[in-house]
């Protein structure tokens, strides 16, 4: 049936996932090392929920604090890469289905991607 | 305790959780939240944030290996992700509106359910062809046959609306509790939609990351994802699950599954009691 193209699509999807997770883990580990070196001796306190500060909640804020080589900022950047990995996988699948001229699944995938972007771009505040 | 000490403790616990989760097929996420809340008195909102992120890491890491084997059905996964992503957004919105105690009680109930479903024998009755709705949606495929040289087996989906509804519920639980909801996703596919086991488990794993990403954005925006806590959880669970997948070939999984399911059931009761007492 759609054997060949499905196989190559799957191989590419697998590659995206592996690369995304590896990159995220590396960035998180670097950020973690900086964070522990600077703050490791302080007392841990997560018993009461306070919420994260603005610069660790939005993509722009995270990018700024990561560029300033803040340990916590770098960790959040790695986590952002991790969250973006399945999203990139979905976006890439649109291309795959379009190459197979499968209009139904291009539409399904565009819809899934729009739900993901709605959530990532702050739609949950509504 | 210092941050260095608690990070080491959290990393060790997460490593063990990821290892056992991969070995038993129950996933590491289910024990992370009880471990952090009951064991280390972390606020449940920080705990579900860290757990959800680790779920994305293990799902994506394992899915990369599975898609190559040819069992994962990308079309079925994508179609059902319509239900899980919408559910996950609803669940994450709900998480902000429910009190911590109520979330703990629902968490305990979901834990009990997944431990029970993991031990219950599940008859496999894959359908060789799908019903008309499934055929129109192209929810079908073929997977490698049993044994080397065997011809590929064709399969099709049944009862699509039921499967879709169960997937929506799995999405809500995932967004509300920061877990992968793998047990419910597999149930929706192999029992409701009559898909082969291997197709159900690998496609479920493939979907977990996308489902979790749908609520992770909302968690991040709400400030549930604390970098200091999530760092050791994510790295620990990821390393543990990679090791667990390696060890899977040599281990006697049956006994281990009983033991781990027992641990999960005990944690579930603890969570429910703590939630009712308002101790979280």
């Amino acid at each position: 049936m759609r054997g060949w193209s499905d196989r190559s699509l799957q191989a590419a999807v697998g590659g995206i996932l592996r690369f995304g997770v590896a990159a995220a883990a590396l960035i998180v580990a670097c950020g973690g090392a900086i964070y522990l070196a600077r703050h490791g001796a302080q007392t841990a306190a997560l018993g009461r929920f306070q919420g994260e500060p603005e610069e660790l909640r939005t993509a722009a804020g995270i990018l700024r604090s990561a560029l300033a080589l803040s340990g916590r900022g770098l960790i959040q950047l790695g986590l952002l890469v991790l969250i973006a990995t399945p999203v990139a996988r979905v976006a890439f699948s649109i291309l795959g289905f379009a190459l197979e001229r499968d209009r139904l699944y291009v539409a399904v995938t565009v819809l899934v991607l729009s739900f993901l972007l709605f959530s990532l771009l702050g739609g949950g505040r509504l | 305790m210092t941050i260095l000490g608690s990070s080491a403790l959290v990393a060790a616990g997460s490593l063990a959780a990821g290892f056992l989760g991969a070995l038993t097929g129950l996933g590491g996420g289910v024990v992370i939240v009880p471990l952090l809340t009951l064991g280390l008195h972390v606020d449940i909102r920080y705990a579900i944030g860290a757990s959800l992120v680790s779920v994305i890491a293990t799902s994506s890491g394992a899915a990369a290996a599975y898609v190559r084997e040819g069992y994962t059905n990308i079309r079925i996964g994508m179609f059902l992700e319509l239900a899980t992503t919408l559910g996950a957004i609803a669940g994450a919105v709900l998480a902000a509106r429910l009190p911590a105690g109520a979330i703990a009680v629902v968490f305990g109930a979901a834990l009990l359910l997944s431990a029970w479903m993991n031990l219950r024998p599940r008859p496999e009755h894959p359908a060789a062809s799908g019903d008309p709705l499934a055929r129109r949606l192209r929810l079908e495929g073929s997977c490698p046959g049993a044994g080397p040289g065997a011809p590929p087996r064709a399969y099709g989906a049944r009862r699509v609306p039921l499967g879709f509804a169960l997937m929506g519920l799995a999405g809500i639980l995932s967004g509300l509790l920061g877990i992968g909801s793998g047990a419910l996703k597999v149930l929706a596919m192999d029992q409701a939609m009559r898909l082969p086991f291997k197709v159900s488990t690998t496609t479920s794993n493939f979907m977990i990351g996308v489902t979790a990403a749908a609520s992770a954005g909302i968690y991040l925006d709400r400030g549930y994802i604390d970098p200091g806590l999530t760092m050791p959880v994510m790295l620990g669970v990821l390393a543990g699950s990679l090791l667990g997948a390696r060890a899977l070939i040599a281990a006697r999984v049956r006994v281990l599954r009983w033991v781990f399911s027992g641990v999960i059931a005990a944690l579930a009761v603890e969570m429910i009691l703590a939630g009712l007492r308002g101790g979280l």
Side-chain angles (χ1 to χ4, degrees):
Chain A
M1 256 187 358
R2 289 176 285 259
W4 186 84
S5 54
D6 251 3
R7 274 291 142 77
S8 59
L9 177 64
Q10 295 191 350
V13 163
I16 290 177
L17 293 173
R18 237 191 322 275
F19 177 79
V21 173
L26 195 69
I27 300 171
V28 168
C30 292
I34 294 176
Y35 169 68
L36 289 178
R38 286 185 190 155
H39 302 283
Q42 292 169 11
T43 309
L46 284 173
R48 209 162 53 81
F49 183 72
Q50 293 170 317
E52 297 305 311
E54 180 73 21
E55 75 261 23
L56 297 176
R57 281 195 283 131
T58 61
I62 289 171
L63 206 59
R64 258 198 313 277
S65 40
L67 284 176
L69 288 184
S70 141
R72 287 159 62 87
L74 271 172
I75 295 173
Q76 287 309 67
L77 181 69
L79 300 181
L80 214 52
V81 170
L82 185 67
I83 295 170
T85 298
V87 181
R89 190 271 270 175
V90 171
F92 182 82
S93 302
I94 296 177
L95 188 75
F97 288 130
L99 285 175
E100 295 176 6
R101 299 185 191 291
D102 186 339
R103 273 196 221 154
L104 175 65
Y105 274 85
V106 169
V108 166
T109 312
V110 166
L111 212 54
V112 170
L113 184 66
S114 64
F115 294 156
L116 289 171
L117 293 178
F118 169 81
S119 157
L120 281 174
L121 301 177
R125 273 179 223 165
L126 298 177
Chain B
M1 203 187 318
T2 65
I3 288 179
L4 195 62
S6 70
S7 296
L9 200 61
V10 169
S14 305
L15 190 81
F19 185 76
L20 288 173
L23 217 50
T24 55
L26 276 156
V30 288
V31 291
I32 290 294
V33 173
L35 212 66
L36 293 176
T37 52
L38 299 170
L40 296 168
H41 304 290
V42 171
D43 186 283
I44 192 164
R45 280 158 287 197
Y46 288 132
I48 61 178
S51 162
L52 188 80
V53 169
S54 74
V55 162
I56 300 178
T58 50
S59 155
S60 302
Y66 286 144
V67 284
R68 269 182 309 177
E69 288 177 34
Y71 287 101
T72 314
N73 190 313
I74 293 184
R75 274 191 177 74
I76 293 180
M78 193 62 74
F79 175 73
L80 294 172
E81 275 164 10
L82 286 173
T84 61
T85 48
L86 268 186
I89 292 173
V93 170
L94 206 60
R97 283 167 175 65
L98 286 179
I103 296 176
V105 172
V106 177
F107 198 105
L111 277 185
L112 279 179
L113 191 74
S114 72
W116 178 69
M117 283 194 308
N118 188 50
L119 293 179
R120 209 174 51 109
R122 289 174 311 182
E124 185 182 26
H125 26 54
S129 64
D131 55 23
L133 178 61
R135 280 208 299 275
R136 261 219 330 264
L137 293 167
R138 271 171 259 171
L139 303 179
E140 62 207 359
S142 61
C143 59
R153 273 194 304 164
Y155 62 86
R158 298 280 169 88
R159 298 192 287 186
V160 176
L162 177 65
F164 198 80
L166 284 173
M167 283 295 177
L169 184 66
I172 293 176
L173 287 178
S174 171
L176 179 63
L177 307 174
I179 58 175
S181 286
L184 193 53
K185 286 191 174 90
V186 169
L187 184 83
M189 282 189 278
D190 73 6
Q191 299 301 305
M193 298 174 71
R194 302 265 193 261
L195 295 169
F197 273 155
K198 266 273 193 169
V199 174
S200 303
T201 49
T202 56
T203 305
S204 156
N205 195 293
F206 185 69
M207 295 172 62
I208 284 173
V210 173
T211 310
S215 30
I218 298 176
Y219 279 19
L220 190 69
D221 189 58
R222 287 253 163 72
Y224 284 21
I225 298 180
D226 180 76
L229 177 69
T230 312
M231 179 262 299
V233 171
M234 178 253 187
L235 293 176
V237 171
L238 185 63
S241 66
L242 291 176
L243 289 174
R246 289 263 167 84
L248 189 56
I249 308 145
R252 285 214 318 250
V253 178
R254 243 184 74 81
V255 181
L256 207 61
R257 263 168 78 159
W258 274 93
V259 173
F260 197 50
S261 295
V263 170
I264 286 178
L267 288 173
V269 174
E270 281 280 310
M271 285 292 282
I272 292 174
L273 290 177
L276 291 177
R277 265 191 254 119
L280 285 176

